[in-house]
Amino acid sequence: MLNQLAFLYCASVIIGTALLAVRFKNPVYSVLSVLVLFFHMAGLYLLLNAEFLAAIQIIVYAGAVLVLYLFVLFLVSLREEVKIERFIKSHRLATAVSIGLGLSLLMIIPSFKLGAKGEYPVERITELTHTKAMGFELYSTYLLPFEVAGLILLIAVIGGLVLARKEEEIK
Amino acid sequence: MQILIILLQIAALLAIVLLHVAYTTYFERKIIGHMQVRMGPMLVGWHGLLQPIADGIKSFFKEDIIPEQADKPLFLAAPIICLVTMLASLAVLPFARGWVLADINIGLLFLFAMSSLASYGIILAGWASNSKYTFLGGMRSMAQVISYEIPMGLSLVGVMMLSGSLNLTEIVTAQGTSIFSIYLFPQIIGFFVFFIAMLAETNRVPFDLPEAETELVSGYLTEYSGMRYAMFFMAEYIGMMVMASIGTVCFLGGWNGPFEIPFFPPFWFILKVYGFLFLFIWIRATLPRYRYDQLMELGWKLLIPLALLNIFLTGLFKVFT
Amino acid sequence: MESILIAEDLRNNFPNAIFETQIHRGQFSSIVAPEPIVEMCRFLKEDYKMNHLNCLTGVDNLSRKGKHFERFEVIYQLYSIEYRVGLRLKAQIKDSEDPSIDSITSLWTGADWLERETFDLLGITFNEHPNLKRILTPEDWEGHPLQKTYKLKGNTEWNGFTKLKEKVKQLKQFDFYSAQEGTHSND
Amino acid sequence: MTESATINVPVAQGNEDKYKLKMGPQHPATHGVLRVDLELDGETITDCDPKVGYLHRGFEKLAEHRTYAQNLVLTDRLDYMAAMANNVGYCEAVEKLLDIQVSNRARFLRVMVCEMARLASHLLWLATHALDIGAMTVFLYAFRERETLMEIFAELCGSRLTNTYTCLGGVRQDVTHEIMRKLDNFINEFPACIEEYETLIDTNRIWLKRTIGVAPVSAEMGLDLCLTGASLRGSGVDYDIRKHVPYAAYDQIDFEVPLGETGDTYARYRCRMEEMRQSNYILRQCIEKMPPGAIVGEDAPDLVMPTTPRKKVTADTSARQGLIKLIEDRDVYMEGDIYVATEVPKGELGFYFISDCKGKPYRMHIRSPSFIHIGALETLGKGVMVADLIAIIGTLDVVLGECDR
């Protein structure tokens, strides 16, 4: 019961802050509502006994990624109002597309099945601790995808460096 | 009933920690005073012993000024964010065996999470005050946090690898009771990196750029006054204590000492934390301040490679033994 | 190397521009015309290594007794660190209404502020000065204080100060506490 | 239905391409009421525009309406960190203008107080410079030594900061054995104190990082900017007025002029530290060589301080009736002008006087080193970081009282 209440709270706050993040006119407020959103995401992970993920969610997303967003927001000088053309000109078409997307999302729901599954049911994770369980899986079963992901990120880092350097040289 | 006990424990911990914070400021002033051939506070109480309480009362009753141009909600929230995140990190600190409010499995990560959140308080304070000095201070703080969170985390990876756990109690247990088995010796590189990153995380000299008095007046704190200023102040000192506790737990063997102290098991833990705090204060009295670009250089070019090297060496050590 | 020889050489090189060479307590000064002042300074700087500009200032000769030439003078005190000799140039500016002289900022960057100060206090304009603005007095100050026509105690206060006094008077009548409560109740 | 909609983003006030920061006049590190208008690109300064005049008291105008003796007190208020040196500079200039002789003992006393003022000023410079860079402890250590000097000043002339110790033709009061004993103690201890400061900051990596290579000034550039004093000597230009045009008793005293090579902040710092050692050496010679005799010259046209209250002890009979009046009446005022410079701690303090046969100067111009050094900030401050600008203000050693006059 308590768990369900907590889930309900987290879920509603996530939806609410997500909407706020889009609606706020002040970009700093948007970023801050995303921060609250990440917090409740971490709460959801905790409900799922995924404490490692919860901590990483806060450290990486809240502590690093969002701070970087804020950094960029502060640095970019907004002298003129940002004018963006609407992606879809027709209002009706836009409504139709979003309703369609929403429906297709709802259609996925029945494929969720409740209950323990796979090698790591909740009992096992509590016994092993989530960090260990995840470490085992990552570094044995999913070693190759993990390494590939790491490589891709490295490429992104190097790419970023190269781009930043080039701009400096032009100056 | 259990909830009541936990609440009582929380209240007791908060009271003790806040009192400690107050007296850390007193000791800082006293120690720096004596290092600088002066007396420090002397007038309030015997040798100024009541000074922190007088300061507390004063800041509590001072007028709370909010600049007209400030972003009010964020301006009000910033010090609270700072203080709350710092207080929250107290929950997972093991002061002695069993003397911990929440013995969670990811204690170390929780501490990181909280310290990275505390930077939001500083950033928002800098932005919301809508003043040039605070903004520069906030920006400096942001860059500093991003750069120093990484070496700090990496420097502790070695400890995690050796102990095989993120639980702070288990890390202490893994180090054993002997003074020679603490992680300070196998993780000396890690400790070095951790110590420097720790100074930077807590915005202490020589990394006190966000509030560099002679450059940015008072950095992100410039527009704050009264209780809100005191909240930042408390957050900074609690941050110092939390960082000192992490250092004690991860490198100095936590509550273990040469012999057990009956009735008061956290004795050695507290002693080691005091040692760290003394180091903080000593460094403040000795060193000048880094420049912004030098700070970044130190973080990215020295500390991060060193921390990575430390992880590599620890891995080798683990593989071959 | 002695100052008198330098003064002589200066006279030989600029025969029409030197009116007189004076000596007082062992210090030589050449009274010169203002037009070739930059060339003269350059000549002294390059040929006699007078690379240190001790002092640059102006004088208003309006009520000066004794022998003097024109209303405004600009004084250049030059010094050669290598030869340890100094020479003073006193440029006489004829135009007493709108005195002006060429700027020597091309020779010494440090002359910038000295010329600004002379302009500020004496009203002598320096041609081709990069940033000739008031420096010691406020931007909206009236008159040039070191001119002899300017009284020691002026007739009126500076504009900014009177404005400030008025503002203080206004703010004194303003009741901050009730105003603050008022805004709170509006919230 | 609109073709396109705009999203309104709130624009912060005054948000421009360049971040403009008006540093001062109320700022902890601007050494008084200096204002520097900065244009920042991140932390790097793209444009630096120092604004002065907040402390402008019109000394030059005021001096035209007061007698030579009265103007002396104005000089205390120039560089209030080394008022003694200003007094000496003023008196030397007026004495040369009016051709007044100074006794040898007074000359030595002047050298003594000058060097004490230099030490006091350099100690304060070191204290604030170190504090600007973040080293807090040096500040208090330097003030400890400065306090001793201030106490000696107080004992010598009754005032710690605005001394007015010299007078035209000599000095106001003779030294006592007690003062000499205190000074002797001080100079015996002081070299160890300098070493103490050096161990605190000179061996410190952060200090070296913050000062070496910051704001380098070449010899040509230093002369171009009209820098003087240790700021110029740090670039290797051998220009010390004490050696070039010796005044007071500097021609009878042996000392060296420390020179730097690189001209950066560190070189200037080293120069001043060595200067303190030299000053200490000069003080020792002053104590050893102090000649006996009168402290005021025969024809000194000024007040002599009474040794006991209400009783005037005068130099000669002609000085008995109201001495300030005397200086107006004398017929020594020849027509002429003079520029006399002295080496004060900050650099070259020059007085340009025009006399027109009256007891008051027709024109007095003060060439103050701080004014020119702040002018140099405009050039030196471009392209450095905010933290460096603070270091540069510190290393130029400016005092706003002297700058604005």
Side-chain angles (χ1 to χ4, degrees), chain B residues 122-123 126 133-145 199-213 215-222 289-290 292 295, chain D residues 43:
Chain B
I122 295 174
I123 295 164
Y133 292 118
T134 59
F135 185 68
L136 275 178
M139 294 293 269
R140 278 181 174 193
S141 162
M142 221 182 306
Q144 194 168 323
V145 163
L199 290 174
E201 277 279 308
T202 46
N203 293 338
R204 296 285 298 183
V205 173
F207 305 104
D208 61 337
L209 292 131
E211 45 186 307
E213 191 204 341
E215 294 158 28
L216 301 182
V217 185
S218 205
Y220 61 92
L221 288 171
T222 309
R289 187 182 301 119
Y290 265 111
Y292 180 70
L295 175 98
Chain D
E43 288 255 331

Side-chain angles (χ1 to χ4, degrees), chain C residues 53-150:
Chain C
L53 178 70
N54 283 90
C55 174
L56 191 164
T57 188
V59 182
D60 179 6
N61 283 331
L62 186 66
S63 58
R64 184 167 168 186
K65 283 179 188 159
K67 192 167 67 178
H68 68 269
F69 289 80
E70 304 291 340
R71 164 94 192 261
F72 286 106
E73 260 180 3
V74 179
I75 314 285
Y76 300 83
Q77 176 77 32
L78 304 178
Y79 187 76
S80 163
I81 288 171
E82 196 166 313
Y83 303 132
R84 304 198 173 189
V85 286
L87 184 66
R88 183 156 57 241
L89 302 180
K90 297 199 231 175
Q92 306 293 322
I93 302 175
K94 287 196 183 71
D95 190 354
S96 63
E97 289 301 311
D98 184 22
S100 73
I101 190 168
D102 286 342
S103 162
I104 59 160
T105 41
S106 53
L107 295 174
W108 284 280
T109 317
D112 179 345
W113 274 36
L114 294 166
E115 288 181 352
R116 271 176 77 182
E117 187 200 351
T118 312
F119 163 73
D120 184 8
L121 299 180
L122 279 146
I124 298 170
T125 322
F126 288 85
N127 305 325
E128 287 162 43
H129 187 281
N131 183 23
L132 199 64
K133 282 189 301 191
R134 286 188 180 271
I135 185 164
L136 289 174
T137 53
E139 305 244 320
D140 57 342
W141 190 270
E142 281 169 22
H144 300 281
L146 278 184
Q147 286 182 358
K148 291 287 171 183
T149 48
Y150 194 97

Side-chain angles (χ1 to χ4, degrees), chain B residues 35-52:
Chain B
M35 281 175 176
Q36 296 173 340
V37 290
R38 59 195 171 92
M39 299 302 287
M42 282 298 281
L43 290 178
V44 191
W46 185 76
H47 275 253
L49 262 180
L50 295 177
Q51 184 70 47

Side-chain angles (χ1 to χ4, degrees), chain C residues 79 84, chain D residues 233 238-247 250-258 278 281-282 343:
Chain C
Y79 187 76
R84 304 198 173 189
Chain D
R233 289 193 288 272
D238 186 7
Y239 179 54
D240 188 325
I241 300 160
R242 292 176 295 174
K243 286 275 185 200
H244 275 236
V245 193
Y247 55 95
Y250 278 114
D251 47 350
Q252 303 168 47
I253 278 171
D254 168 50
F255 66 97
E256 277 171 27
V257 179
Q278 290 299 325
Y281 178 50
I282 296 173
E343 185 77 19

Side-chain angles (χ1 to χ4, degrees), chain B residues 32 35-38 69 132-133 135-136 140 206 213-215 217 285 287-294, chain D residues 13 19-23 27-29 43 132-134 136-137 140-141 204 209-210 385 387-388 390:
Chain B
I32 290 190
M35 281 175 176
Q36 296 173 340
V37 290
R38 59 195 171 92
Q69 297 287 315
K132 307 226 166 180
Y133 292 118
F135 185 68
L136 275 178
R140 278 181 174 193
E213 191 204 341
T214 46
E215 294 158 28
V217 185
L287 291 184
R289 187 182 301 119
Y290 265 111
R291 205 171 61 203
Y292 180 70
D293 56 332
Q294 290 165 349
Chain D
Q13 277 182 344
Y19 196 68
K20 282 182 181 162
L21 181 67
K22 286 196 164 96
M23 213 162 160
H27 188 280
E43 288 255 331
D132 285 350
I133 293 185
M136 198 164 70
T137 305
L140 286 130
Y141 282 16
N204 192 323
K209 267 193 157 183
R210 284 297 303 277
M385 304 190 97
D388 282 339
I390 304 298

